[in-house]
Amino acid sequence: MNTNFNDVISKVLIDEDSIQKKIKQIATNINQFYEDEPQDVLLVGILRGSIMFMSDLAKYLKIDCKLDFMDVSSYGDSTESSGNVKIVKDLDTDVKDLNVLIIEDIIDSGNTLYFLVDTLKQRGAKSIKIVTLLDKPERREKDVQPDWTGFKIPDEFVVGYGLDYAQHYRNLPYIGVLKREVYEK
Ligand code: IMP
Ligand code: MG
């Protein structure tokens, strides 16, 4: 089944080029930050939204790093966070005494990252940093401060470049605003 994305996307918020330029800038800053760090860094990608961001970002990192993944859920198929975060797939790596860099697609209420940071702290991580491609600061419920942010965006539901609505539209190469009629029907 082919989809005409014009039927579901009201506008392109961030195009492919802008995403790539921004990721290079972020990578430069992250490289500088870890420059003098003797120990390697564990990149923790939060499934599934961060996959494209993580793979593009990792290519520009010059630090010694390993990759692992975690899947947490708080949404189901709705567009609002439930605030009740659960681990769906845990890390394979023991993070005790490791430098962890959490890679997120978007921070919305902050519930997911608040839970993740707390969990990794309890497991004894040496340091925990957060990089997010997108941030919707207006919707914050928990005080979570990303260390590196790609774009601050308004309170609109976006899809593409890894982000989904009910598992769809992750494969779009840009970030687009989802038409309200798609999720309000
Ligand atoms: P939070 O716990 O409310 O901060 O939500 C974080 C998670 O919600 C992200 O990892 C996304 O998976 C999802 N999310 C939040 N806003 C959007 C959006 O606009 N589009 C797609 N997914 C979103
Ligand atoms: Mg997510």
Side-chain angles (χ1 to χ4, degrees), residues 20-32:
Q20 292 304 320
K21 278 196 190 113
K22 184 65 82 175
I23 293 177
K24 283 186 193 165
Q25 286 169 7
I26 294 177
T28 305
N29 294 336
I30 294 178
N31 286 331
Q32 275 166 6

Side-chain angles (χ1 to χ4, degrees), residues 8-11 13 75-81 105-106 108 134 136 139 153-160 163-170 175-180 182-184:
V8 293
I9 301 296
S10 60
K11 69 169 179 228
L13 196 62
Y75 266 58
D77 280 350
S78 112
T79 58
E80 298 275 330
S81 165
D105 51 359
I106 186 166
D108 188 22
L134 306 175
K136 279 190 214 170
R139 304 234 316 164
I153 63 166
D155 180 14
E156 283 180 294
F157 198 81
V158 292
V159 293
L163 290 104
D164 72 307
Y165 170 65
Q167 301 305 327
H168 291 273
Y169 319 124
R170 292 192 196 274
I175 306 280
V177 176
L178 190 65
K179 285 187 180 171
R180 284 190 165 270
V182 178
Y183 55 91
E184 280 178 353

